[in-house]
Coordinates of all heavy atoms in Angstrom, one line a residue:
M1 N 10.7 38.3 -41.8 CA 10.9 39.7 -42.2 C 11.1 40.5 -40.9 O 10.5 40.2 -39.8 CB 9.6 40.3 -42.8 CG 9.8 41.7 -43.3 SD 8.3 42.3 -44.1 CE 7.6 43.4 -42.8
C2 N 11.9 41.5 -40.9 CA 12.2 42.4 -39.8 C 11.1 43.3 -39.6 O 10.5 43.8 -40.5 CB 13.5 43.1 -40.1 SG 14.0 44.3 -38.8
D3 N 10.7 43.6 -38.3 CA 9.6 44.5 -38.0 C 9.9 45.9 -38.0 O 9.1 46.8 -38.0 CB 9.0 44.1 -36.7 CG 8.3 42.8 -36.7 OD1 7.9 42.3 -37.7 OD2 8.2 42.1 -35.6
E4 N 11.2 46.3 -38.1 CA 11.6 47.7 -38.2 C 11.1 48.4 -39.5 O 11.3 47.8 -40.5 CB 13.0 47.8 -38.1 CG 13.6 47.4 -36.7 CD 15.1 47.7 -36.6 OE1 15.5 48.8 -36.7 OE2 15.8 46.7 -36.6
L5 N 10.5 49.6 -39.4 CA 10.1 50.2 -40.6 C 11.2 50.8 -41.4 O 11.1 51.0 -42.6 CB 9.0 51.4 -40.3 CG 7.7 50.8 -39.7 CD1 6.9 52.0 -39.3 CD2 7.0 50.0 -40.9
V6 N 12.3 51.2 -40.7 CA 13.5 51.8 -41.4 C 14.7 51.2 -40.8 O 14.9 51.1 -39.7 CB 13.6 53.3 -41.1 CG1 14.8 53.9 -41.7 CG2 12.3 54.1 -41.6
L7 N 15.4 50.5 -41.8 CA 16.7 49.9 -41.4 C 17.8 50.9 -41.6 O 17.8 51.6 -42.6 CB 16.9 48.6 -42.2 CG 15.7 47.6 -42.2 CD1 16.1 46.5 -43.2 CD2 15.5 47.0 -40.8
S8 N 18.8 50.9 -40.8 CA 19.9 51.9 -40.8 C 21.2 51.2 -40.9 O 21.3 50.2 -40.0 CB 19.8 52.8 -39.6 OG 20.9 53.8 -39.7
H9 N 22.0 51.5 -41.8 CA 23.4 51.0 -41.9 C 24.4 52.1 -42.1 O 24.3 52.9 -43.0 CB 23.5 50.0 -43.0 CG 24.9 49.5 -43.3 ND1 25.5 48.6 -42.4 CD2 25.8 49.8 -44.2 CE1 26.7 48.5 -42.9 NE2 27.0 49.2 -43.9
K10 N 25.3 52.2 -41.1 CA 26.4 53.2 -41.2 C 27.6 52.6 -41.8 O 28.1 51.6 -41.3 CB 26.7 53.7 -39.7 CG 27.7 54.8 -39.8 CD 27.9 55.3 -38.3 CE 29.0 56.3 -38.1 NZ 29.2 56.7 -36.8
D11 N 28.0 53.1 -42.9 CA 29.3 52.7 -43.5 C 30.5 53.3 -42.8 O 30.6 54.5 -42.7 CB 29.4 53.2 -45.0 CG 30.5 52.6 -45.7 OD1 31.6 53.1 -45.5 OD2 30.3 51.8 -46.6
P12 N 31.3 52.4 -42.2 CA 32.4 52.9 -41.3 C 33.6 53.5 -42.1 O 34.4 54.3 -41.5 CB 32.9 51.6 -40.7 CG 32.5 50.5 -41.6 CD 31.2 50.9 -42.3
V13 N 33.6 53.3 -43.4 CA 34.7 53.8 -44.1 C 34.4 55.2 -44.8 O 35.1 56.2 -44.7 CB 35.2 52.9 -45.2 CG1 36.3 53.4 -46.1 CG2 35.7 51.6 -44.6
D14 N 33.2 55.2 -45.5 CA 32.9 56.4 -46.3 C 32.0 57.4 -45.6 O 31.5 58.3 -46.3 CB 32.3 55.9 -47.6 CG 33.2 55.2 -48.5 OD1 34.5 55.5 -48.5 OD2 32.8 54.2 -49.2
A15 N 31.7 57.2 -44.4 CA 30.9 58.3 -43.6 C 29.6 58.5 -44.2 O 29.1 59.7 -44.2 CB 31.8 59.5 -43.4
F16 N 28.8 57.5 -44.5 CA 27.4 57.8 -44.9 C 26.5 56.7 -44.2 O 27.0 55.6 -43.8 CB 27.2 57.8 -46.4 CG 27.4 56.4 -47.1 CD1 26.4 55.5 -47.1 CD2 28.7 56.1 -47.6 CE1 26.7 54.3 -47.7 CE2 28.9 54.9 -48.3 CZ 27.9 54.0 -48.3
V17 N 25.3 57.0 -44.1 CA 24.2 56.1 -43.5 C 23.3 55.8 -44.6 O 22.8 56.7 -45.4 CB 23.6 56.8 -42.4 CG1 22.4 55.9 -41.9 CG2 24.5 57.0 -41.2
T18 N 23.0 54.6 -44.8 CA 21.9 54.1 -45.7 C 20.6 53.8 -44.9 O 20.7 52.9 -44.0 CB 22.3 52.9 -46.5 OG1 23.5 53.2 -47.2 CG2 21.2 52.5 -47.4
L19 N 19.5 54.5 -45.2 CA 18.3 54.3 -44.5 C 17.4 53.5 -45.5 O 17.1 53.9 -46.7 CB 17.6 55.5 -44.2 CG 18.4 56.5 -43.2 CD1 17.7 57.7 -43.0 CD2 18.7 55.8 -41.9
T20 N 16.9 52.3 -45.2 CA 16.1 51.5 -46.0 C 14.7 51.3 -45.5 O 14.5 50.9 -44.4 CB 16.8 50.1 -46.1 OG1 18.1 50.1 -46.5 CG2 16.0 49.1 -47.1
M21 N 13.8 51.9 -46.4 CA 12.4 51.8 -46.0 C 12.0 50.3 -46.0 O 12.3 49.6 -47.1 CB 11.5 52.6 -46.9 CG 11.7 54.1 -46.7 SD 10.7 55.1 -47.8 CE 11.5 54.8 -49.4
N22 N 11.4 49.8 -45.0 CA 11.1 48.4 -44.9 C 9.6 48.0 -44.8 O 9.2 47.6 -43.7 CB 11.9 47.8 -43.7 CG 12.0 46.3 -43.7 OD1 12.0 45.7 -44.7 ND2 11.9 45.8 -42.5
R23 N 8.8 48.3 -45.8 CA 7.4 47.9 -45.8 C 7.2 47.2 -47.2 O 6.4 47.7 -47.9 CB 6.5 49.1 -45.8 CG 6.5 49.8 -44.4 CD 5.4 50.9 -44.4 NE 4.1 50.4 -44.4 CZ 3.0 51.0 -44.8 NH1 3.1 52.2 -45.2 NH2 1.8 50.4 -44.8
P24 N 7.9 46.1 -47.5 CA 7.7 45.5 -48.8 C 6.3 45.0 -49.0 O 5.8 45.0 -50.2 CB 8.7 44.3 -48.7 CG 9.0 44.1 -47.3 CD 8.8 45.4 -46.6
D25 N 5.6 44.7 -48.0 CA 4.2 44.2 -48.2 C 3.3 45.3 -48.7 O 2.2 45.0 -49.3 CB 3.6 43.6 -46.9 CG 3.7 44.5 -45.7 OD1 4.8 45.4 -45.6 OD2 2.8 44.6 -44.8
K26 N 3.7 46.6 -48.5 CA 2.9 47.7 -48.9 C 3.6 48.5 -49.9 O 3.3 49.6 -50.3 CB 2.6 48.7 -47.8 CG 1.8 48.0 -46.6 CD 0.4 47.7 -47.0 CE -0.3 47.2 -45.8 NZ -1.6 46.8 -46.1
M27 N 4.7 47.9 -50.5 CA 5.5 48.4 -51.6 C 6.1 49.8 -51.1 O 6.2 50.7 -51.8 CB 4.8 48.6 -52.9 CG 4.5 47.2 -53.5 SD 3.8 47.2 -55.1 CE 4.9 47.9 -56.1
N28 N 6.4 49.9 -49.8 CA 6.9 51.0 -49.1 C 6.2 52.3 -49.3 O 6.7 53.4 -49.3 CB 8.4 51.3 -49.6 CG 9.2 50.1 -49.1 OD1 9.3 49.9 -47.9 ND2 10.0 49.5 -50.0
A29 N 4.8 52.1 -49.4 CA 3.9 53.3 -49.4 C 4.1 54.1 -48.1 O 4.2 53.5 -47.0 CB 2.5 52.8 -49.6
M30 N 4.2 55.4 -48.2 CA 4.4 56.2 -47.0 C 3.2 56.1 -46.1 O 2.0 56.2 -46.5 CB 4.6 57.6 -47.5 CG 5.0 58.6 -46.4 SD 6.6 58.1 -45.5 CE 7.8 58.3 -46.7
S31 N 3.4 56.0 -44.9 CA 2.4 56.0 -43.8 C 2.9 57.0 -42.7 O 4.0 57.4 -42.8 CB 2.1 54.6 -43.2 OG 3.4 54.2 -42.5
Q32 N 2.0 57.3 -41.9 CA 2.5 58.2 -40.7 C 3.5 57.5 -39.9 O 4.6 58.2 -39.6 CB 1.2 58.4 -39.8 CG 1.6 59.5 -38.7 CD 1.8 60.9 -39.2 OE1 1.0 61.3 -40.1 NE2 2.8 61.6 -38.8
A33 N 3.5 56.2 -39.7 CA 4.5 55.5 -38.9 C 5.8 55.5 -39.6 O 6.9 55.7 -39.0 CB 4.0 54.1 -38.6
L34 N 5.8 55.2 -40.9 CA 7.0 55.2 -41.7 C 7.6 56.6 -41.8 O 8.8 56.7 -41.7 CB 6.7 54.6 -43.1 CG 8.0 54.6 -44.1 CD1 9.0 53.7 -43.5 CD2 7.5 54.1 -45.4
G35 N 6.8 57.6 -42.0 CA 7.4 59.0 -42.0 C 8.0 59.3 -40.7 O 9.1 59.9 -40.7
N36 N 7.4 59.0 -39.6 CA 8.0 59.2 -38.3 C 9.2 58.5 -38.1 O 10.3 59.1 -37.6 CB 7.1 58.9 -37.1 CG 5.8 59.8 -37.1 OD1 5.8 60.9 -37.7 ND2 4.7 59.3 -36.4
A37 N 9.3 57.2 -38.5 CA 10.5 56.5 -38.4 C 11.7 56.9 -39.2 O 12.8 57.0 -38.8 CB 10.3 55.0 -38.7
L38 N 11.3 57.4 -40.5 CA 12.3 57.9 -41.3 C 12.8 59.2 -40.8 O 14.0 59.5 -40.9 CB 11.7 58.1 -42.7 CG 12.6 58.3 -43.9 CD1 13.6 57.2 -44.0 CD2 11.7 58.4 -45.2
A39 N 12.0 60.1 -40.4 CA 12.3 61.4 -39.8 C 13.3 61.2 -38.6 O 14.3 61.9 -38.4 CB 11.1 62.2 -39.4
A40 N 13.0 60.2 -37.7 CA 13.8 59.9 -36.5 C 15.1 59.4 -36.9 O 16.2 59.9 -36.3 CB 13.1 59.0 -35.6
A41 N 15.2 58.6 -38.0 CA 16.5 58.0 -38.4 C 17.3 59.1 -39.1 O 18.5 59.2 -38.9 CB 16.2 56.9 -39.4
I42 N 16.7 60.1 -39.7 CA 17.4 61.2 -40.4 C 18.0 62.1 -39.2 O 19.2 62.6 -39.3 CB 16.6 62.0 -41.3 CG1 16.3 61.1 -42.6 CG2 17.2 63.3 -41.7 CD1 15.2 61.6 -43.5
V43 N 17.2 62.4 -38.2 CA 17.7 63.2 -37.1 C 18.9 62.5 -36.4 O 19.9 63.2 -36.1 CB 16.6 63.4 -36.1 CG1 17.1 64.0 -34.8 CG2 15.5 64.4 -36.7
R44 N 18.8 61.2 -36.2 CA 19.9 60.4 -35.6 C 21.1 60.5 -36.4 O 22.3 60.8 -35.9 CB 19.5 59.0 -35.3 CG 18.7 58.7 -34.1 CD 18.6 57.2 -33.8 NE 18.1 56.4 -34.9 CZ 16.8 56.2 -35.1 NH1 15.9 56.8 -34.4 NH2 16.4 55.4 -36.1
A45 N 21.0 60.3 -37.7 CA 22.1 60.4 -38.6 C 22.8 61.9 -38.6 O 23.9 62.0 -38.6 CB 21.8 60.1 -40.0
G46 N 21.9 62.9 -38.5 CA 22.3 64.3 -38.5 C 23.0 64.6 -37.2 O 23.9 65.5 -37.2
N47 N 22.7 63.9 -36.2 CA 23.4 64.2 -34.9 C 24.7 63.5 -34.7 O 25.4 63.7 -33.7 CB 22.5 63.8 -33.7 CG 21.3 64.8 -33.6 OD1 21.4 66.0 -34.0 ND2 20.2 64.4 -33.0
D48 N 25.0 62.6 -35.7 CA 26.3 61.8 -35.6 C 27.3 62.6 -36.4 O 27.2 62.8 -37.6 CB 26.0 60.5 -36.2 CG 27.3 59.5 -36.1 OD1 28.4 60.1 -35.9 OD2 27.1 58.3 -36.2
P49 N 28.4 63.1 -35.7 CA 29.4 63.9 -36.3 C 30.2 63.1 -37.4 O 30.9 63.7 -38.2 CB 30.3 64.4 -35.1 CG 30.0 63.4 -34.1 CD 28.6 62.9 -34.3
E50 N 30.1 61.8 -37.4 CA 30.9 61.1 -38.4 C 30.2 60.9 -39.6 O 30.8 60.5 -40.7 CB 31.3 59.7 -37.7 CG 32.2 59.7 -36.6 CD 32.4 58.4 -36.0 OE1 31.8 57.4 -36.5 OE2 33.1 58.3 -34.9
V51 N 28.9 61.2 -39.7 CA 28.1 61.0 -40.9 C 28.1 62.3 -41.7 O 27.8 63.3 -41.3 CB 26.6 60.6 -40.5 CG1 25.7 60.5 -41.7 CG2 26.6 59.3 -39.7
R52 N 28.5 62.1 -43.0 CA 28.5 63.2 -43.9 C 27.4 63.1 -44.9 O 27.1 64.1 -45.6 CB 29.9 63.2 -44.5 CG 31.0 63.4 -43.6 CD 32.3 63.7 -44.1 NE 32.1 64.9 -44.9 CZ 33.1 65.6 -45.5 NH1 34.3 65.1 -45.2 NH2 32.8 66.6 -46.2
A53 N 26.8 62.0 -45.1 CA 25.6 61.9 -46.1 C 24.7 60.8 -45.7 O 25.0 59.9 -44.9 CB 26.3 61.5 -47.5
V54 N 23.4 61.0 -46.1 CA 22.4 60.0 -45.9 C 21.8 59.6 -47.2 O 21.4 60.4 -48.1 CB 21.3 60.6 -45.0 CG1 20.1 59.6 -44.8 CG2 21.8 61.0 -43.7
I55 N 21.7 58.3 -47.4 CA 21.1 57.7 -48.6 C 19.8 57.0 -48.2 O 19.8 56.2 -47.2 CB 22.1 56.7 -49.2 CG1 23.4 57.4 -49.6 CG2 21.4 56.0 -50.5 CD1 24.5 56.4 -50.1
S56 N 18.7 57.3 -48.9 CA 17.5 56.7 -48.7 C 17.1 55.7 -49.8 O 17.3 56.1 -50.9 CB 16.4 57.7 -48.5 OG 15.1 57.1 -48.3
T57 N 16.7 54.5 -49.4 CA 16.3 53.5 -50.5 C 15.1 52.7 -49.9 O 14.7 52.9 -48.8 CB 17.6 52.6 -50.8 OG1 17.3 51.8 -51.8 CG2 18.0 51.8 -49.6
R58 N 14.8 51.8 -50.7 CA 13.7 50.8 -50.2 C 14.1 49.4 -50.3 O 15.2 49.0 -50.8 CB 12.5 51.1 -51.2 CG 12.8 50.8 -52.6 CD 11.6 51.1 -53.5 NE 12.0 51.0 -54.9 CZ 11.2 50.7 -55.8 NH1 9.9 50.7 -55.6 NH2 11.6 50.6 -57.0
S59 N 13.4 48.6 -49.6 CA 13.7 47.2 -49.5 C 13.8 46.5 -50.8 O 13.0 46.8 -51.7 CB 12.9 46.4 -48.5 OG 11.5 46.4 -49.1
A60 N 14.7 45.5 -51.0 CA 14.9 44.7 -52.3 C 13.6 44.0 -52.6 O 13.2 44.0 -53.8 CB 16.0 43.8 -52.1
Q61 N 12.9 43.5 -51.7 CA 11.7 42.7 -51.9 C 10.6 43.6 -52.6 O 10.0 43.2 -53.5 CB 11.1 42.1 -50.7 CG 9.9 41.3 -50.9 CD 9.4 40.6 -49.7 OE1 9.9 40.8 -48.6 NE2 8.4 39.8 -49.8
S62 N 10.5 44.9 -52.2 CA 9.5 45.8 -52.8 C 9.9 46.2 -54.2 O 9.1 46.4 -55.0 CB 9.3 47.0 -51.9 OG 10.5 47.8 -52.0
R63 N 11.3 46.2 -54.5 CA 11.7 46.6 -55.8 C 11.3 45.4 -56.8 O 11.0 45.7 -57.9 CB 13.2 46.8 -55.8 CG 13.7 48.1 -55.3 CD 15.1 48.4 -55.5 NE 16.1 47.5 -54.9 CZ 16.6 47.8 -53.7 NH1 16.3 48.9 -53.0 NH2 17.4 46.9 -53.2
R64 N 11.4 44.2 -56.3 CA 11.1 43.1 -57.2 C 9.6 43.1 -57.4 O 9.2 42.9 -58.6 CB 11.4 41.7 -56.5 CG 12.9 41.4 -56.6 CD 13.2 39.9 -56.2 NE 12.7 39.6 -54.8 CZ 13.4 39.9 -53.8 NH1 14.6 40.4 -53.9 NH2 13.0 39.5 -52.6
R65 N 8.7 43.4 -56.5 CA 7.3 43.5 -56.6 C 7.0 44.6 -57.5 O 6.1 44.5 -58.4 CB 6.6 43.6 -55.3 CG 6.7 42.4 -54.5 CD 5.9 42.5 -53.2 NE 4.5 42.6 -53.4 CZ 3.7 42.8 -52.4 NH1 4.0 43.1 -51.3 NH2 2.3 42.9 -52.8
A66 N 7.6 45.7 -57.4 CA 7.3 46.9 -58.3 C 7.7 46.6 -59.7 O 7.0 47.0 -60.6 CB 8.1 48.1 -57.8
A67 N 8.8 45.9 -59.9 CA 9.2 45.5 -61.3 C 8.2 44.6 -62.0 O 7.9 44.8 -63.1 CB 10.5 44.9 -61.3
L68 N 7.5 43.8 -61.2 CA 6.5 42.9 -61.7 C 5.2 43.6 -62.1 O 4.5 43.3 -62.9 CB 6.2 41.8 -60.8 CG 7.4 40.8 -60.6 CD1 7.1 39.8 -59.5 CD2 7.8 40.1 -61.9
S69 N 5.0 44.8 -61.4 CA 3.7 45.5 -61.7 C 3.8 46.8 -62.4 O 2.9 47.5 -62.5 CB 3.1 45.8 -60.3 OG 3.9 46.7 -59.5
T70 N 5.1 47.0 -62.9 CA 5.3 48.3 -63.7 C 4.6 48.2 -65.0 O 4.7 47.1 -65.7 CB 6.8 48.4 -63.9 OG1 7.4 48.6 -62.6 CG2 7.0 49.7 -64.7
P71 N 3.8 49.2 -65.4 CA 3.1 49.1 -66.7 C 4.1 49.1 -67.8 O 5.2 49.7 -67.7 CB 2.2 50.3 -66.6 CG 2.8 51.2 -65.6 CD 3.5 50.3 -64.6
A72 N 3.7 48.7 -69.0 CA 4.5 48.7 -70.2 C 4.7 50.2 -70.6 O 3.9 51.1 -70.3 CB 3.8 48.0 -71.3
P73 N 5.8 50.5 -71.3 CA 6.1 51.8 -71.7 C 5.0 52.3 -72.7 O 4.5 51.5 -73.4 CB 7.5 51.7 -72.4 CG 8.0 50.4 -72.1 CD 6.9 49.6 -71.6
V74 N 4.8 53.6 -72.8 CA 3.8 54.1 -73.7 C 4.4 54.3 -75.0 O 5.7 54.3 -75.2 CB 3.3 55.5 -73.3 CG1 2.5 55.4 -71.9 CG2 4.4 56.5 -73.1
S75 N 3.6 54.3 -76.1 CA 4.1 54.4 -77.4 C 4.8 55.8 -77.7 O 4.5 56.7 -77.0 CB 3.0 54.2 -78.4 OG 2.2 55.3 -78.4
G76 N 5.6 55.9 -78.7 CA 6.3 57.2 -79.1 C 5.3 58.3 -79.3 O 5.5 59.4 -78.9
R77 N 4.1 58.0 -79.9 CA 3.1 59.0 -80.2 C 2.6 59.6 -78.9 O 2.4 60.8 -78.7 CB 2.0 58.4 -81.0 CG 1.0 59.4 -81.4 CD -0.1 58.8 -82.3 NE -0.7 57.7 -81.8 CZ -1.8 57.6 -81.0 NH1 -2.3 58.8 -80.7 NH2 -2.3 56.5 -80.6
E78 N 2.4 58.7 -77.9 CA 1.8 59.2 -76.6 C 2.9 60.1 -75.9 O 2.7 61.1 -75.3 CB 1.4 58.1 -75.7 CG 0.1 57.4 -76.3 CD -0.1 56.1 -75.6 OE1 0.8 55.3 -75.4 OE2 -1.3 56.0 -75.2
C79 N 4.2 59.6 -76.0 CA 5.3 60.3 -75.3 C 5.5 61.7 -75.9 O 5.8 62.7 -75.2 CB 6.6 59.5 -75.4 SG 6.6 58.1 -74.3
A80 N 5.3 61.9 -77.2 CA 5.4 63.1 -77.9 C 4.5 64.2 -77.3 O 4.9 65.3 -77.1 CB 5.2 63.0 -79.4
R81 N 3.3 63.8 -77.0 CA 2.4 64.8 -76.3 C 2.8 65.2 -75.0 O 2.6 66.3 -74.5 CB 1.0 64.1 -76.2 CG 0.2 64.0 -77.5 CD -1.2 63.6 -77.3 NE -1.1 62.3 -76.6 CZ -2.1 61.4 -76.8 NH1 -3.1 61.6 -77.5 NH2 -2.0 60.2 -76.3
C82 N 3.5 64.3 -74.2 CA 4.0 64.6 -72.9 C 5.2 65.6 -72.9 O 5.4 66.3 -72.0 CB 4.5 63.4 -72.2 SG 3.1 62.2 -71.9
R83 N 5.8 65.7 -74.1 CA 7.0 66.6 -74.2 C 6.7 68.0 -74.7 O 7.5 68.6 -75.3 CB 8.1 66.0 -75.2 CG 8.7 64.7 -74.5 CD 9.8 64.2 -75.4 NE 9.9 62.8 -75.2 CZ 9.8 61.9 -76.1 NH1 9.6 62.3 -77.3 NH2 9.9 60.6 -75.9
A84 N 5.4 68.3 -74.5 CA 5.0 69.7 -74.9 C 5.8 70.8 -74.2 O 6.2 70.6 -73.1 CB 3.6 69.9 -74.7
P85 N 6.1 71.9 -74.9 CA 6.9 73.0 -74.2 C 6.1 73.4 -73.0 O 4.9 73.4 -72.9 CB 7.0 74.0 -75.2 CG 6.6 73.5 -76.5 CD 5.8 72.3 -76.2
P86 N 6.8 73.9 -72.0 CA 6.2 74.4 -70.7 C 5.2 75.5 -71.1 O 5.5 76.3 -72.0 CB 7.4 75.0 -69.9 CG 8.6 74.3 -70.4 CD 8.3 74.0 -71.9
G87 N 4.2 75.6 -70.4 CA 3.2 76.6 -70.6 C 2.1 76.2 -71.5 O 1.1 77.0 -71.8
R88 N 2.1 75.0 -72.1 CA 1.1 74.6 -73.0 C 0.1 73.7 -72.4 O 0.3 73.0 -71.5 CB 1.7 73.9 -74.2 CG 2.4 74.8 -75.1 CD 2.9 74.1 -76.3 NE 2.2 74.6 -77.5 CZ 2.3 74.1 -78.7 NH1 3.0 73.1 -78.9 NH2 1.7 74.7 -79.7

């Protein structure tokens, strides 16, 4: 595994940077170090005149782990309560 907290890839054709959070062992939970690394990567991308967009994502390994631990969907009856009009 790479030790970098944020991996950066600049697309040479479409002028965007993809920033990948790289803490799969912690399912990319935000930490001070990850926040600092992400902020620094965004500043670097913002200072690059060739970059027109920044995409933030998480490592593939953490997506697989999250899919395995995602709870089952709630029943329709429970969802109906969640859809109450605003202010109720």
Side-chain angles (χ1 to χ4, degrees):
M1 183 180 111
C2 180
D3 290 334
E4 292 181 67
L5 290 175
V6 177
L7 306 176
S8 180
H9 171 74
K10 182 177 174 182
D11 186 287
V13 176
D14 294 323
F16 67 86
V17 170
T18 302
L19 301 177
T20 304
M21 293 181 284
N22 190 35
R23 286 186 74 201
D25 55 324
K26 301 292 184 186
M27 292 183 65
N28 291 310
M30 189 57 72
S31 67
Q32 187 69 44
L34 179 57
N36 291 342
L38 197 53
I42 290 169
V43 168
R44 277 193 305 275
N47 289 334
D48 186 335
E50 296 176 2
V51 175
R52 299 194 54 171
V54 176
I55 299 169
S56 176
T57 187
R58 59 188 174 156
S59 64
Q61 183 178 3
S62 71
R63 284 193 292 269
R64 284 193 300 277
R65 290 182 70 189
L68 295 174
S69 64
T70 301
V74 294
S75 71
R77 184 173 55 86
E78 292 169 311
C79 286
R81 284 189 299 212
C82 296
R83 291 190 209 117
R88 287 185 117 187

